[in-house]
Amino acid sequence: MLGIPAEMVLVGYLCLGYVSRFDTQSELSLKGWEKRADLANFIHFEHYGGADEQRAAELLSSLTDGEDLESAS
């Protein structure tokens, strides 16, 4: 349905309920598991692999009122 290649492993990290605080860095980064990647790299339009850098940049800018996502955390 989504056209995700079979060799891709989807991993989710879901918090249920209320959180008492938000860290300045993601928990995965703080634990040394993964470094922050550019969010635009994960935006696909219409289907997996449907990348559009300009469209992704415009979408992210509209969601953050033009604020840089790195400085927004």
Side-chain angles (χ1 to χ4, degrees):
M1 182 171 153
L2 297 176
I4 299 171
E7 66 272 9
M8 300 291 288
V9 177
L10 300 180
V11 177
Y13 191 89
L14 179 63
C15 178
L16 299 176
Y18 296 100
V19 296
S20 58
R21 64 183 171 79
F22 290 101
D23 292 322
T24 57
Q25 290 182 287
S26 72
E27 187 172 355
L28 295 176
S29 178
L30 290 171
K31 302 285 185 189
W33 190 77
E34 189 66 73
K35 291 184 172 39
R36 181 177 295 273
D38 184 9
L39 184 57
N41 292 336
F42 300 99
I43 298 176
H44 300 260
F45 295 94
E46 308 303 329
H47 58 84
Y48 181 83
D52 182 332
E53 290 181 28
Q54 180 64 34
R55 191 172 168 194
E58 290 171 0
L59 174 64
L60 292 172
S61 180
S62 73
L63 295 173
T64 61
D65 294 328
E67 186 178 350
D68 180 17
L69 289 177
E70 291 298 320
S71 63
S73 56

